[in-house]
Amino acid sequence: MSDPIKRVKGFADMFEPESTAFTFLENTARRIFGLYGYTELRTPVLERTELFARGIGDETDVVQKEMYTFPDRGGRSLTMRPEATAGVMRAFIEAGAAASQSVSKFFTYGPMFRYEQPQKGRLRQFHQLNCECLGPVEPGADAEIITMLMHFLSEIGLEDLCVEINSLGDKNCRPLYRQQLLDWAAGLPEEELCPDCRRRMHTNPLRLLDCKVPACQALTKDAPVMIDHVCPDCRAHFDEVCALLDKNGVPWKLNPRMVRGLDYYMRTTFEVVSNKIGSQGAVTGGGRYDGLIHDLGGPDVPGIGFASGMERLAMLLPETILKRPDFYIAVVEDAAMDCAFELAQKLRLAGLRGEMSFSAKKMKQQMKTASKLNARKCLILGGLEVENRTVQIKDMDSGEQTEAALSDIARFFE
Ligand code: HAM
């Protein structure tokens, strides 16, 4: 026998219950985001490499080290999307959508690809739920999208999460702050920084602030932060976003060291982080990116958006969302097989979910199967039950067993 072929490192197969969790996330996202006017957009998984180099930024980790890039048979450099935003912007520009609508709201979801070191909550093929609101420049749009995100998270059962927000300034105040940060960083003992920070110091100094290496964090703990150096317009924008969140009861906290890993952000940025899923705790990241559409060759349309990692959300979902089967039919004698088949179908036609055993087996084995399936009730059928037109109903949670007439079984599932 030849060796079985294994899956690619960092790429996962998704069985139950994760596949059910994904369906639940997609459906809830579509429903909640729809309430706010988002419509679904599906963009290709492959794009021209240039789109990400220009959109995300040449100096970002994503573009420098993490993209799946290869030439196609015609010699064009293509990249499997590492995120959805750049592709949504390309589609928006290509469709000329700005001409017909002053506000466009897109929801997109699907697989993204980043060549990162796989670990818990970090894959090379992962999935995002992604929303982009294009058109409005007002702080109300920022507050609305953050409120919508928290509405969605609460709808999927994640009530205890708080959004962290920050402002990254704009093209007026950020260059001045960047210079201040560079001047401050010039005094750092470069040899004590991690290799990434040594590079970032010169190419992308803001990212010094969100390095996860403890030694780097200690060295940069007194670094100046953007929020203390934003211009009056950016400050007013930020304050208005915070005030609107307060008015709507959305829990938020300032994280002045949040800089985000993609270069297109300006002004409001936000993340939702959970401490329940290990070191890869960011479940959502997003922010405003006025200027991105223009940089990609489109009209000067501002925008704001976010993406949530579906694998990470799935890890946090309460078990109750995974619908349990209503029944399992245990057939303990061959004589009951036809009756069991008929009963299973009758229950399914009545909207109940469940399975049956296809051969008569010992009771102990059948119970094991019923509890493995996590069925609510086990319906036990033997020759005697068939003769009497009855069934034994075992409640799998309480262990209680009752006899019922076959014709009367539906009421046990109410
Ligand atoms: P991001 O912060 O790079 O932002 O990713 C968003 C979310 O995707 C993260 O918070 C995380 O939950 C998930 N994620 C990222 N990388 C991985 C991975 N390797 N494995 C598992 N999950 C991962 C963006 O992608 C932006 N495009 C978000 C955005 C939309 N900003 C504006 N619009």
Side-chain angles (χ1 to χ4, degrees):
M1 212 165 62
S2 56
D3 286 344
I5 296 165
K6 301 229 169 80
R7 65 193 152 81
V8 176
K9 184 177 172 186
F11 287 61
D13 299 308
M14 210 183 291
F15 291 91
E16 275 270 277
E18 208 183 8
S19 47
T20 301
F22 266 52
T23 308
F24 169 76
L25 289 173
E26 286 160 17
N27 290 343
T28 313
R30 198 173 282 115
R31 180 166 59 79
I32 300 299
F33 301 157
L35 299 175
Y36 295 77
Y38 283 74
T39 55
E40 199 166 328
L41 168 68
R42 301 184 187 213
T43 61
V45 165
L46 268 189
E47 297 277 2
R48 290 169 197 273
T49 303
E50 193 194 347
L51 174 71
F52 301 114
R54 267 167 70 187
I56 299 174
D58 270 331
E59 287 304 331
T60 56
D61 287 352
V62 172
V63 172
Q64 287 269 320
K65 318 192 275 199
E66 295 170 3
M67 296 207 304
Y68 279 87
T69 296
F70 53 89
D72 72 0
R73 288 178 187 273
R76 284 165 292 258
S77 179
L78 300 181
T79 293
M80 290 164 78
R81 62 178 181 195
E83 56 112 53
T85 310
V88 172
M89 299 309 120
R90 186 215 29 80
F92 173 80
I93 297 167
E94 210 167 331
S100 55
Q101 260 170 323
S102 59
V103 179
S104 305
K105 293 175 171 177
F106 299 114
F107 158 55
T108 183
Y109 73 93
M112 311 292 151
F113 305 86
R114 293 185 194 175
Y115 195 87
E116 293 188 86
Q117 204 42 49
Q119 63 177 88
K120 186 180 170 208
R122 194 206 271 158
L123 289 115
R124 289 182 174 173
Q125 175 179 306
F126 60 100
H127 298 74
Q128 285 183 342
L129 297 166
N130 186 89
C131 288
E132 313 291 354
C133 171
L134 311 180
V137 72
E138 296 86 355
D142 308 33
E144 183 189 79
I145 202 167
I146 295 172
T147 305
M148 176 178 85
L149 166 66
M150 299 315 277
H151 180 176
F152 165 70
L153 292 175
S154 126
E155 194 72 15
I156 61 172
L158 310 182
E159 303 275 4
D160 54 348
L161 293 170
C162 172
V163 61
E164 297 178 13
I165 60 177
N166 193 19
S167 175
L168 290 184
D170 63 8
K171 57 180 183 311
N172 300 315
C173 51
R174 188 146 80 217
L176 297 172
Y177 162 72
R178 188 178 185 273
Q179 190 53 52
Q180 266 182 310
L181 184 61
L182 276 173
D183 294 345
W184 179 88
L188 285 173
E190 210 168 320
E191 61 296 345
E192 289 176 35
L193 293 168
C194 74
D196 278 339
C197 281
R198 254 177 266 160
R199 181 171 51 85
R200 287 169 183 150
M201 231 173 122
H202 306 285
T203 56
N204 202 355
L206 265 72
R207 291 231 65 200
L208 286 173
L209 297 183
D210 75 346
C211 179
K212 302 287 176 285
V213 177
C216 299
Q217 285 181 345
L219 285 167
T220 60
K221 74 176 184 345
D222 298 323
V225 288
M226 183 71 234
I227 192 73
D228 293 336
H229 296 85
V230 290
C231 61
D233 282 352
C234 286
R235 182 79 230 185
H237 185 99
F238 185 72
D239 288 345
E240 179 63 15
V241 175
C242 299
L244 281 166
L245 293 178
D246 282 340
K247 276 186 205 147
N248 286 288
V250 178
W252 63 273
K253 68 174 185 230
L254 173 70
N255 178 355
R257 293 178 70 93
M258 183 212 303
V259 295
R260 307 281 301 126
L262 314 163
D263 272 359
Y264 46 63
Y265 293 111
M266 59 161 286
R267 290 200 166 165
T268 316
T269 50
F270 53 98
E271 280 182 358
V272 176
V273 183
S274 164
N275 56 13
K276 294 189 184 143
I277 48 173
S279 64
Q280 300 304 308
V283 293
T284 301
R288 183 166 273 290
Y289 45 77
D290 304 353
L292 174 61
I293 296 176
H294 188 251
D295 289 349
L296 289 173
D300 204 358
V301 175
I304 181 163
F306 68 79
S308 295
M310 294 178 72
E311 283 79 2
R312 296 185 192 176
L313 288 179
M315 283 196 269
L316 283 165
L317 286 184
E319 272 176 25
T320 44
I321 66 109
L322 303 172
K323 209 170 167 281
R324 293 171 69 178
D326 298 296
F327 65 87
Y328 178 73
I329 304 182
V331 183
V332 287
E333 278 168 310
D334 281 333
M337 196 55 72
D338 288 354
C339 178
F341 201 93
E342 224 176 277
L343 176 62
Q345 197 54 12
K346 185 175 140 191
L347 293 173
R348 290 172 189 141
L349 289 173
L352 296 167
R353 206 170 99 149
E355 292 179 66
M356 64 173 278
S357 163
F358 294 118
S359 61
K361 291 194 190 99
K362 292 213 172 68
M363 185 66 106
K364 203 170 155 197
Q365 207 181 338
Q366 304 259 21
M367 284 301 149
K368 247 192 191 163
T369 311
S371 59
K372 215 167 146 198
L373 289 169
N374 198 18
R376 285 165 57 211
K377 311 255 186 230
C378 183
L379 310 177
I380 305 155
L381 278 178
L384 193 64
E385 281 79 14
V386 174
E387 224 169 86
N388 299 336
R389 303 300 295 161
T390 57
V391 59
Q392 302 292 328
I393 304 178
K394 185 174 170 102
D395 185 297
M396 296 301 289
D397 294 328
S398 67
E400 223 171 87
Q401 193 164 318
T402 20
E403 191 176 72
L406 270 175
S407 56
D408 190 31
I409 195 164
R411 75 182 167 89
F412 289 85
F413 290 96
E414 280 163 5

